[in-house]
Amino acid sequence: MTPALIGSLVLGYFLLLLLVARITGRNTNNSDYFIGGHRSPWPLVAFGMIGASLSGVTFISVPGVVGNLQSPNQQFSYMQLVLGYLLGYALIATVLMPLYYRMRLTSIYSYLDERFGPASYRTGAWFFLLSRTLGSTFRIFLVTVVFQWFMLDDMGVPYWLTIALTLTLIWIYTYQGGIRTIVYTDTLQTSFMLGAVIFTLYYVSQSLGLGLGDIYPAISSAGLGQFIFSDPASDTFFGKQFLAGAAIATVMTGLDQDMMQKNNSCPNIRDAQKNMAVFSIILVLVNVLFVTLGALLYLFIAQEGIALPSKTDFLYPMLALKHFPLLFGVVFVIGLIAAAFSSADSAITALTTSFCVDILGLDVAPELRHQEQLSQEHLQAAAERETHIRKTRYIIHGAFSLLILFLCYAFYTWSSGDVLGNIFQAAGFTYGPLLGLYGFGLFSKRAVRDRLTPVVCVTSVLICLFVAGQNIVGPLLGMSPDSITAWKDGVSNALNGYQIGFEILIYNGLLTAAGLWLISKPTRATPHPPL
């Protein structure tokens, strides 16, 4: 993989995306940017959401973590989480999506304003902004750092330039069309990503001399094929992982502006529900491909006598770029570029949407949809408003790109552990309050003291960080590894040996809901009764 070849692949791929953006971004307005004008075809949304949901984390981190026996995602245990996703997606399709379509929401967090009040609304929006910014940064970081360590370091290219160039390219093809463009570019990128994985699976299985029916028996005999883990105290326990998967799917899809912005761009609720059903089935099958690929990669390095990389995240990149034939290096790079762009483009658009609508109070200009009914004076005012919103979102779109650039560089010098684990751990702390807010709002009739909602949500996060966030809080406080371990052991002993894993998200949501009940009153008045 020469620098010229890599550069040509990146440039060619970007020009293809730019062509798609040019076609889909013509004559767009703010409604097209924020919600695709409610004209997105549901099959494209369903398929494109696969790429946005998987991103570079699944493409790189999931195959590597299969052989990491210290990880809660070791062997095929990750599929326990994925099976839990199905329950979460069912809740989204039957509970959350009808609510969003009935209220015709541009930002899904507007529901919190209707249900609780402005303080709760902005609290939910700020937690989404924090959660999505961190999650998107982890995803972009993982992909760009692979390029950096395996290709660009040898060329003398600094990491800040790598991430700056990546985000600049993404900004160029998304700033105009927004979600209308992303529905199409994500479909294209999902195709490239899955094509790369299937192509690699075929090559590795053939290299190992395995037919289709021989693959899982070979994986199982190597001690890498366990699906179900039955020790209740372990953080790999099926019950924990399944429930955590349901909660993760609910918050990271159903309560996430990025993912639901695509669903809400469908013409109607029935199409959106079809999209969710097809998406959930495909996602399970695709994840089976990724964990299978990971196990086969470990069998491959054992057969070839290849040393493991310093981080399991780098197993697939190392083999594709240094040990597989050139053609597979090319396929991997194309899949990697697709993973990088698909994880960043929709995230930056969703962050822009939430900040513009939820924090700044901007929205699309609905008057422009009925121009024939407006006087010339009102038409001019509506056009000026549309222009103001467009200029504002350009600035916010660029600002979030710069913020992610800064955070990626910080992670480059600080991050440790597998990125998959880091993302789910961060989600448990930052999405927990959203789970509690929506759960309490939908399944109770009590009104809260709105101004106290931020206190409840922050307190819940702090408690969870003390109980299960030592790996996050410890380094920030400058604690030594031994001190962090002692803190973790102390909490485990207090819980009679119970190890808290990704299910911290559920505990965080329950704590938030309990706190909301404490600051609530038995009656409320709202035009939108709970489901």
Side-chain angles (χ1 to χ4, degrees):
M1 296 296 293
T2 64
L5 178 56
I6 295 170
S8 298
L9 290 172
V10 174
L11 180 60
Y13 189 85
F14 169 68
L15 290 176
L16 178 60
L17 292 180
L18 196 59
L19 175 62
V20 174
R22 178 77 174 175
I23 295 171
T24 58
R26 290 174 179 169
N27 302 317
T28 56
N29 55 28
N30 290 314
S31 175
D32 294 320
Y33 179 93
F34 291 128
I35 52 177
H38 284 302
R39 296 191 300 271
S40 300
W42 73 263
L44 290 184
V45 175
F47 191 67
M49 281 178 63
I50 297 295
S53 178
L54 298 176
S55 74
V57 174
T58 308
F59 188 72
I60 296 174
S61 196
V62 168
V65 83
V66 169
N68 182 0
L69 301 185
Q70 304 303 314
S71 169
N73 291 312
Q74 62 180 270
Q75 303 187 58
F76 278 31
S77 67
Y78 182 62
M79 293 306 301
Q80 298 177 143
L81 275 173
V82 175
L83 292 176
Y85 290 172
L86 294 176
L87 175 58
Y89 294 144
L91 292 173
I92 293 168
T94 57
V95 177
L96 292 176
M97 289 171 61
L99 174 72
Y100 298 154
Y101 269 83
R102 185 173 73 243
M103 296 180 66
R104 303 288 291 179
L105 301 180
T106 299
S107 168
I108 62 174
Y109 308 113
S110 302
Y111 162 74
L112 297 176
D113 191 19
E114 295 282 346
R115 177 63 176 83
F116 296 127
S120 301
Y121 169 37
R122 286 184 169 78
T123 299
W126 276 114
F127 268 102
F128 162 73
L129 291 170
L130 173 63
S131 303
R132 199 33 143 163
T133 300
L134 291 176
S136 299
T137 301
F138 273 125
R139 291 176 171 91
I140 299 168
F141 163 75
L142 176 60
V143 176
T144 54
V145 84
V146 167
F147 275 114
Q148 187 68 32
W149 286 2
F150 284 93
M151 305 173 214
L152 300 179
D153 273 344
D154 293 338
M155 299 165 55
V157 178
Y159 179 70
W160 68 265
L161 183 58
T162 301
I163 186 61
L165 180 61
T166 301
L167 291 171
T168 299
L169 295 178
I170 292 169
W171 183 86
I172 289 172
Y173 79 82
T174 58
Y175 83 97
Q176 181 67 36
I179 201 67
R180 179 173 170 180
T181 294
I182 286 167
V183 165
Y184 291 90
T185 56
D186 274 3
T187 300
L188 181 68
Q189 291 169 165
T190 299
S191 301
F192 281 121
M193 194 189 312
L194 296 184
V197 172
I198 293 171
F199 201 40
T200 307
L201 264 171
Y202 176 78
Y203 170 74
V204 176
S205 61
Q206 291 299 301
S207 299
L208 294 170
L210 300 175
L212 185 62
D214 303 322
I215 291 177
Y216 185 72
I219 292 171
S220 182
S221 64
L224 293 175
Q226 186 173 350
F227 269 96
I228 306 299
F229 291 74
S230 56
D231 180 7
S234 170
D235 52 8
T236 60
F237 176 52
F238 174 80
K240 293 181 185 179
Q241 295 267 17
F242 181 83
L243 292 176
I248 287 170
T250 302
V251 298
M252 295 187 73
T253 298
L255 303 184
D256 185 283
Q257 177 65 26
D258 182 1
M259 300 299 286
M260 296 313 295
Q261 195 168 355
K262 297 183 181 70
N263 279 280
N264 292 345
S265 71
C266 292
N268 53 64
I269 180 63
R270 293 189 66 181
D271 280 358
Q273 288 173 325
K274 291 177 190 175
N275 154 60
M276 184 58 63
V278 172
F279 160 72
S280 61
I281 295 171
I282 296 176
L283 188 67
V284 172
L285 298 176
V286 168
N287 275 289
V288 171
L289 292 180
F290 276 101
V291 293
T292 302
L293 173 62
L296 289 179
L297 292 179
Y298 278 97
L299 296 184
F300 182 85
I301 64 171
Q303 174 180 283
E304 301 296 321
I306 300 171
L308 280 170
S310 58
K311 287 188 175 183
T312 58
D313 287 334
F314 298 148
L315 175 65
Y316 186 14
M318 177 191 73
L319 293 175
L321 298 173
K322 294 184 178 295
H323 297 277
F324 291 169
L326 177 62
L327 176 60
F328 292 90
V330 171
V331 169
F332 173 79
V333 169
I334 293 174
L336 189 61
I337 300 168
F341 283 13
S342 66
S343 61
D345 54 14
S346 58
I348 294 173
T349 300
L351 290 168
T352 301
T353 299
S354 181
F355 195 88
C356 287
V357 176
D358 301 324
I359 306 303
L360 299 183
L362 302 176
D363 203 344
V364 298
E367 299 90 343
L368 293 181
R369 302 172 194 162
H370 310 286
Q371 295 185 10
E372 69 281 355
Q373 302 174 12
L374 298 175
S375 66
Q376 188 63 34
E377 181 180 352
H378 284 104
L379 188 61
Q380 182 178 354
E384 290 175 354
R385 179 181 175 217
E386 176 91 356
T387 301
H388 169 68
I389 294 174
R390 180 182 291 109
K391 290 179 178 178
T392 301
R393 66 173 169 83
Y394 285 171
I395 295 171
I396 301 303
H397 195 114
F400 273 112
S401 298
L402 289 174
L403 176 61
I404 290 176
L405 186 155
F406 172 79
L407 290 175
C408 278
Y409 191 77
F411 288 173
Y412 183 67
T413 59
W414 173 75
S415 180
S416 62
D418 65 271
V419 174
L420 183 69
N422 288 336
I423 286 178
F424 286 148
Q425 189 176 47
F429 300 121
T430 55
Y431 277 102
L434 284 173
L435 183 63
L437 281 167
Y438 276 82
F440 189 84
L442 290 169
F443 299 109
S444 80
K445 297 183 179 181
R446 300 175 68 89
V448 302
R449 292 174 175 84
D450 181 51
R451 68 182 184 279
L452 296 179
T453 297
V455 177
V456 168
C457 292
V458 172
T459 301
S460 175
V461 171
L462 292 176
I463 292 172
C464 290
L465 282 171
F466 176 80
V467 173
Q470 297 88 350
N471 289 338
I472 292 178
V473 177
L476 293 176
L477 297 178
M479 297 176 63
S480 68
D482 290 341
S483 299
I484 295 173
T485 300
W487 180 5
K488 189 182 300 184
D489 290 343
V491 172
S492 178
N493 291 335
L495 297 175
N496 198 29
Y498 179 81
Q499 297 289 327
I500 297 179
F502 299 142
E503 76 277 10
I504 188 63
L505 171 62
I506 299 173
Y507 301 143
N508 196 350
L510 290 173
L511 276 174
T512 301
L516 292 173
W517 188 86
L518 290 175
I519 63 167
S520 66
K521 297 175 289 186
T523 59
R524 69 178 181 87
T526 175
H528 298 288
L531 300 181

